[in-house]
Amino acid sequence: MRKFTYFVTAIISVILFYFTFESVVDVYRANWQLPNETDQESLNNRLVLITQELDTPFWDKVSAGAKKQAEKEGATLEVWGSYGNNQENFLKQIELAIYSKMGGIIVQGLDTDEFKELTKVKAASYGIPIITVAHDVPSSESLRKTYVGSNQHLAGELIATQLIDDMGTQGEVILMLDSRKEFYQEQRLKGIQEYLKKFPKIELIETTTENTREQGIALTKDILNRHPNVDAFIAVNSNFTEDIIEEIERRSKIGPYYIYSFDDNRASLSLLKQGKLDGMIEQSPHRMGERSVMLMMEWLNNDTVPLYLDGYLTDIRMVKALDIQ
Amino acid sequence: MNNIQKKIWLLAVVVLVIMASIWMSLTFYNQKMQNQYNNILERYLVMNELTRTSQEMVTALNNYLLTPIAENLDSIDRSKNQIQKMKDEVANFKNAENELALTSYINLIDSLIETTDRSLVFHSEDGTESAMEALNEATFISNYISEMTLTIIDTELKTYDRFYRAIINQSEELNQLGIWMLLLITFLLLLYTYWFSLRITKPVEQLTQAASELSKGRFDLKIAVDSKDEIAFLAKMFEHMRNNINNLILEIQKKAQLENELQQSKLLLKESQLRSLQSQINPHFLFNTLNTVSKKAYLEGSEETSDLLVSVAGLLRYNLKHLDKTMTLYHEVNVLQQYINIQKARFTDRLTFHTEIDEGCLHIEIPGLTLQPIVENAMIYAVEPNEEGGVISFRVKDEGDRVIVEVEDDGPGMAEDKIQQIIDEEQEHDTMVGHASGIGLSNVVKRLRLFYGCENVIKIEAKIGNGTKVSIHILKKRGDDQDDKGITR
């Protein structure tokens, strides 16, 4: 009996000790993880990349490149922007960036007065350098430091060359632009026009509409109705690519039409892979991001002053549907 | 831990320490949590306040531009100061995850202040248009600030999500720990209290037991208490007392025995003296007369009679003189010889007396008149009643550490119960009748025992019809000689 009592007592105390110890360990282990403290110095070079088209493959690549470069340079980079070409929000972001006294602003160019006003007056008065990326705005109107991106004029020429190669020197070509006629679109258009001038049998038809999906589809409908013999489409604003293809598919086969676009649209690449798109200008978004941050840092560190105003051009190349398939 | 008070103190201190440590750790954790909660809350409150104040400042600016009075200007300044102060506070909230947003936020506030200042400057220079424009701008910035506040609070919530959950978890863990701790401490305290009370009550119980045994008169049980406190001291003292009582009792017993023995030996001596006095009616006269008669007999030519008379006189003198003295064996043997001479004259051929004496033993001390009564006894029982006479053998032998004196006869022997009576010194059956010295065998036994302080000094072997053998064992070295003082005194 005595032995039994001892045994039970020992067992109970072992159990109690074990659980108490366990919970003590638990309490100590449940440590509160506060966010890391920061050192103020890392905030010297605060850069911001602002785009109208967040979360598109093209801009994702740009921001990835920019972030990588920023990390390398010891700067902090934030990516702001608006979704789906929301201009109002986009401009607000730029304004906010200016008021927040960012070290530098890398921005997708927008060829509007408000944009120019912001960059020219506000940014300049706050002394914030601005570099346009991917889409340019004339330097004299925006006081941007430089432009990093594709040579849009050349891109236009490349498309035109491809068109001639594919279609021959005769036919009706529809050029789809948006009604805002942004600078980069103008340049692309100019490139195409200049090249195609040499072929008088090619008829260029410029169409413009607002940069929305409904308008794009409506415009395509309208074109197809008015110009039944159209041979080729060039989506100078690549956002129209999907609309064109969707509308054509609704009516007939896509095969006979020559359709060209640029890669700064989320659907371009997949359409090209499906063979619905005949050719696409591929730009170097990653490189653009890298280069823009690099140049901005050079500017901020006074390494290269002034920057080359005409811009630093990145590679472009023509990708044909046949190449991918 | 050697006394009860210390034990109690220890218990109290242990309990106190445990409670204090639990209380302290709980308080510490609570404080820590409280601080965190306060910090978190303060962030939100400060940011909210900042937003509100920035709006107020814009309103004040607007008012001032509309009605430029000093009061409005004051309120602008007040707001500005407040904003500056809060801006510094907000700057402290920076961490790795919100530093960019927070920097922008702080810059926004700076911009707001700058724009406000600019507006005031334009206003003082009468550029009302520009002042209004700056006001507009300030309004925008103020709006941005409130938007940014929301964004930051939102990110804060995300950033601190893990932290909040950890806090919740920890408080749950603490609760659990509290329960386990309570159980453990309760259990341990129960155990300790049980052990502790046992340590106090068990010795008391043992002591009570011992006391009750003592009160019943059992002094031989040792009092043992397994403890080290005051009870142990008590027990030790108790044990001491018991030992003392035991010793006292023993001493009293011994004293009583001694007293008793002394009394006996005194009585014995008195008796012997009385008897010898009774028999010595003017012994000197008798002695002188015997000597005269002896000489007379010698002169008349009766030499044999003369010798006999000398022997009788010698025996008589010895008996008178040396009854209470210690003699050597040599003297005793001499007297015995004289006695035998007398008896030979009486019994002539009927008495045959053999002696075997180890001369080396004759210096041994022996109480006076011990051998003669024994031989006399043999004479009375073995020779006298027998017409044919008898044989008496007397031997003195050396046996190492002791000397043995033997008196053997071939008489009718002695009954067992009679031997026992003699050994037990029962006086009424003594055989003093017919003894020359009036001293019986029992008396001899008693004296021998007293003299040597040892019980088995005499041995009687007898069989009915087959003679009797009395042997006295005398140790050469007397072991305990305090007992014979009573005799020699």
Side-chain angles (χ1 to χ4, degrees), chain A residues 46 48-51 80-82 86-108 110 113-128 130, chain B residues 104-105 107-112 115 118 133-145 147-148:
Chain A
R46 290 158 56 237
V48 65
L49 172 68
I50 307 175
T51 163
W80 294 358
S82 60
N86 184 341
Q87 277 193 23
E88 195 187 332
N89 200 12
F90 173 66
L91 292 171
K92 210 165 126 188
Q93 299 278 359
I94 297 171
E95 203 174 359
L96 187 58
I98 293 167
Y99 287 135
S100 306
K101 299 181 177 172
M102 288 290 177
I105 299 175
I106 299 164
V107 68
Q108 178 184 8
L110 179 64
D113 289 339
E114 291 93 337
F115 179 85
K116 286 170 193 160
E117 163 77 14
L118 270 178
T119 51
K120 208 167 160 180
V121 179
K122 280 237 166 89
S125 71
Y126 277 86
I128 300 171
I130 287 186
Chain B
S104 305
Y105 188 64
N107 288 343
L108 269 182
I109 295 163
D110 284 342
S111 302
L112 177 66
T115 315
R118 202 167 65 231
E133 218 168 88
L135 172 66
N136 263 346
E137 210 170 297
T139 315
F140 278 130
I141 297 173
S142 164
N143 286 341
Y144 286 141
I145 287 176
E147 269 173 42
M148 199 77 165

Side-chain angles (χ1 to χ4, degrees), chain A residues 243-297:
Chain A
D243 311 336
I244 296 165
I245 287 169
E246 201 181 314
E247 190 52 39
I248 291 172
E249 271 186 321
R250 208 175 282 166
R251 297 185 175 219
S252 60
K253 277 188 180 172
I254 205 121
Y257 297 98
Y258 300 103
I259 305 168
Y260 301 94
S261 181
F262 297 82
D263 69 343
D264 44 5
N265 178 273
R266 68 175 73 228
S268 297
L269 189 63
S270 63
L271 290 172
L272 187 72
K273 277 181 185 163
Q274 290 166 21
K276 291 174 182 171
L277 208 59
D278 292 80
M280 176 184 87
I281 294 293
E282 194 185 62
Q283 307 176 72
S284 319
H286 201 270
R287 180 81 189 125
M288 285 179 208
E290 270 178 20
R291 199 73 191 277
S292 56
V293 172
M294 204 169 81
L295 290 168
M296 182 60 85
M297 290 309 292

